[in-house]
């Protein structure tokens, strides 16, 4: 990005146009947060329901006082520790933020991203930037410019390519308008890290939900929609590691017998065994042609069980890979749900439409 590129992008944003840009979490689809028409265009480009509020991105802490009213002390303590970075805070909104940007709510979600391109773009524009994840509504969030092109090409004015997102999962969202403060969406900033600042912080009940249960409704409107979902049917297995591996193998063999191509979302630790066992009878990876006559298994390594950051970074990209190859059945492993694992499992469980089998 040259300075001329930044100028051009900022000019587009000031005119009410849309620019997709990289952040440290996922790509964002940016528009002027003060402009109701720009927000309407964001909803239209994503095919997103307009009751689902957008996150407003800033580059300077002074903006908080302008965009929010009754900023609580906790906001400054959290900002001190985690901004710029992957944390979003919900507070009461000021009148300058139109309801179109907040999906009709009186509150607004604010984040100060750390990605240098995002920061410079916001500074250059001189406006707060409303930006949801830059994916078509319902699809996995975008962690590469290529993903944004897949979903939004022709619907927006510019896409800035900043390579792969570092973190790969969306920001942690905390709601500061309730007592005790709640985590509405888990992310890279974990509950343990947040407790260092707000000892009594809790999860919104919907965050840890593991089964379809319509009586528990997420307080972040966006978390109630089917989300992150690949087009194929994803089932994840939960239990002792050895049982999980065997269950993935059994489910895969069964679908291969029926004549389907099967995807496996594998940990690095299990992938070798999957390949060794399945390749005794079936083609593995992209060696088949994907027709019903020639079933094969596509084994995608999502990351290491010993390093959750690798799983977070690759998860959405791998789910998109299965879609690109039109894989009808995908089987995967559950991961431990603490620390960053809480965010990984939150996305994975939703991607599977709560289809978890205990083994
Ligand atoms: O990492 C991220 O947060 C990325 C990057 C681009 O910054 N953005 C992102 O935005 O994930 P989006 O729109 O995909 O997700 C925003 C979530 C939605 O679930 C939405 O319902 C919730 O935040 N949200 C936004 N404003 C809210 C509010 N005032 N009250 C409750 N939930 C809110
Ligand atoms: Mg999103």
């Amino acid at each position: 990005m040259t300075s001329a590129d930044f100028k051009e992008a900022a000019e587009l944003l000031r005119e009410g146009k849309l620019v997709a840009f990289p952040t440290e979490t996922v790509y964002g689809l940016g528009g002027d947060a003060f402009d109701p028409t720009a927000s309407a265009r964001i909803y239209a480009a994503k095919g997103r329901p307009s009751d689902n509020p957008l996150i407003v991105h800033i580059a300077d802490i002074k903006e908080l006082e302008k965009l929010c009213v009754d900023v609580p002390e906790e906001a400054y303590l959290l900002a001190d520790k985690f901004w710029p970075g992957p944390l979003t805070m919900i507070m009461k909104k000021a009148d300058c933020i139109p309801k179109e940007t907040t999906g009709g709510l009186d509150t607004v979600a604010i984040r100060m991203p750390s990605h240098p391109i995002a920061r410079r773009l916001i500074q250059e524009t001189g406006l707060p930037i409303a930006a949801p994840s830059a994916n078509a509504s319902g699809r996995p969030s975008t962690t590469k410019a290529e993903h944004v092109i897949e979903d939004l090409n022709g619907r927006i004015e510019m896409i800035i390519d900043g390579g792969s997102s570092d973190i790969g999962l969306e920001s942690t969202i905390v709601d500061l308008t309730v007592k005790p403060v709640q985590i509405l969406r888990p992310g890279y900033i974990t509950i343990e890290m947040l407790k260092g600042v707000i000892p009594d912080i809790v999860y919104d009940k919907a965050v840890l939900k593991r089964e379809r249960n319509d009586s528990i409704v997420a307080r972040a409107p966006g978390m109630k929609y089917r989300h992150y979902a690949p087009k194929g049917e994803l089932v994840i297995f939960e239990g002792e590691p050895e049982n999980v591996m065997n269950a993935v193998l059994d489910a895969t063999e069964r679908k291969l017998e029926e004549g389907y191509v099967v995807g496996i979302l594998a940990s690095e630790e299990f992938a070798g065994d999957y390949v060794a066992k399945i390749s005794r009878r079936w083609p593995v990876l992209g060696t088949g042609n994907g027709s019903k006559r020639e079933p094969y298994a596509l084994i995608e390594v999502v990351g290491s069980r010993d390093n959750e950051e690798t799983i977070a970074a690759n998860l959405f990209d791998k789910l998109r890979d299965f879609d690109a190859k039109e894989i009808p059945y995908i089987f995967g492993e559950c991961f431990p749900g603490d620390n960053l694992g809480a965010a990984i499992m939150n996305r994975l469980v939703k991607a599977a439409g709560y289809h978890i089998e205990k083994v």
Side-chain angles (χ1 to χ4, degrees):
M1 286 289 284
T2 63
S3 4
D5 294 330
F6 277 108
K7 284 217 167 64
E8 187 185 343
E11 192 53 42
L12 287 169
L13 287 167
R14 282 194 297 266
E15 286 167 3
K17 308 250 167 71
L18 306 185
V19 175
F21 61 96
T23 84
E24 70 279 18
T25 56
V26 298
Y27 276 72
L29 173 56
D32 172 2
F34 289 146
D35 179 355
T37 320
S39 294
R41 296 189 64 224
I42 290 175
Y43 289 110
K46 279 179 63 92
R48 173 170 178 145
S50 59
D51 68 344
N52 187 0
L54 309 176
I55 294 177
V56 175
H57 295 69
I58 59 174
D60 188 329
I61 189 85
K62 286 195 209 96
E63 295 289 308
L64 267 193
E65 295 289 341
K66 296 184 201 152
L67 306 178
C68 308
V69 291
D70 305 338
V71 177
E73 184 57 25
E74 285 119 329
Y76 292 104
L77 297 174
L78 290 171
D80 238 21
K81 192 125 199 189
F82 302 114
W83 275 3
L87 179 72
T88 297
M89 300 189 227
I90 295 177
M91 283 166 278
K92 266 196 238 161
K93 80 171 192 66
D95 290 340
C96 59
I97 300 280
K99 287 248 170 142
E100 283 78 358
T101 299
T102 62
L105 299 175
D106 294 325
T107 54
V108 61
I110 312 270
R111 175 160 111 80
M112 189 192 291
S114 64
H115 194 291
I117 293 182
R119 284 180 68 74
R120 172 126 181 234
L121 180 65
I122 299 163
Q123 283 159 353
E124 187 87 32
T125 310
L127 291 165
I129 303 298
S133 49
N135 53 288
S137 187
R139 296 209 67 206
S141 296
T142 48
T143 56
K144 292 178 176 174
E146 289 83 351
H147 300 159
V148 185
I149 293 172
E150 258 168 41
D151 282 19
L152 300 174
N153 199 22
R155 299 171 151 255
I156 62 179
E157 278 73 24
M158 186 189 268
I159 299 171
I160 302 175
D161 186 348
S164 295
S165 308
D166 277 349
I167 294 175
L169 299 179
E170 308 85 346
S171 61
T172 305
I173 302 180
V174 297
D175 185 350
L176 301 184
T177 68
V178 291
K179 285 276 166 218
V181 171
Q182 287 190 9
I183 299 172
L184 305 193
R185 183 173 71 182
Y188 188 81
I189 308 292
T190 63
I191 189 164
E192 286 73 22
M193 293 157 81
L194 292 164
K195 277 184 176 162
V197 179
I198 304 181
D200 63 344
I201 194 166
V202 294
Y203 281 120
D204 168 21
K205 275 209 275 324
V207 165
L208 302 175
K209 186 159 104 167
R210 286 296 184 88
E211 52 209 49
R212 215 177 305 252
N213 175 349
D214 295 335
S215 67
I216 304 177
V217 179
R219 296 194 42 251
M223 298 301 275
K224 72 176 183 264
Y225 297 108
R226 183 171 156 84
H227 206 186
Y228 314 117
K231 292 170 191 155
E233 191 178 316
L234 170 65
V235 181
I236 49 179
F237 295 95
E238 183 170 45
E240 288 304 313
E242 199 180 315
N243 296 348
V244 168
M245 182 189 295
N246 289 329
V248 169
L249 283 166
D250 287 349
T252 302
E253 297 254 9
R254 225 174 306 126
K255 283 296 166 196
L256 288 166
E257 307 262 8
E258 286 173 24
Y260 293 102
V261 173
V262 180
I264 300 182
L265 188 67
S267 64
E268 209 171 283
E269 287 80 358
F270 291 9
D273 279 33
Y274 293 143
V275 174
K277 290 188 176 142
I278 294 168
S279 64
R280 286 182 200 148
R281 288 186 55 206
W282 308 95
V284 164
L285 296 174
T287 52
N289 64 4
S291 76
K292 269 210 115 182
R293 268 180 300 126
E294 214 180 348
Y296 66 90
L298 174 66
I299 300 174
E300 295 271 16
V301 177
V302 65
S304 164
R305 301 181 78 84
D306 287 338
N307 181 354
E308 290 166 324
E309 295 193 8
T310 58
I311 299 173
N314 292 317
L315 182 62
F316 292 146
D317 185 48
K318 295 304 173 191
L319 292 176
R320 281 177 174 266
D321 267 4
F322 290 125
D323 278 359
K325 301 198 172 77
E326 300 187 346
I327 308 291
Y329 292 97
I330 306 158
F331 300 113
E333 306 158 23
C334 280
F335 300 101
D338 36 16
N339 301 316
L340 185 53
I344 293 168
M345 285 309 299
N346 172 268
R347 309 309 192 274
L348 199 51
V349 160
K350 286 184 174 210
Y354 299 99
H355 196 156
I356 307 173
E357 288 193 11
K358 295 219 164 42
V359 293

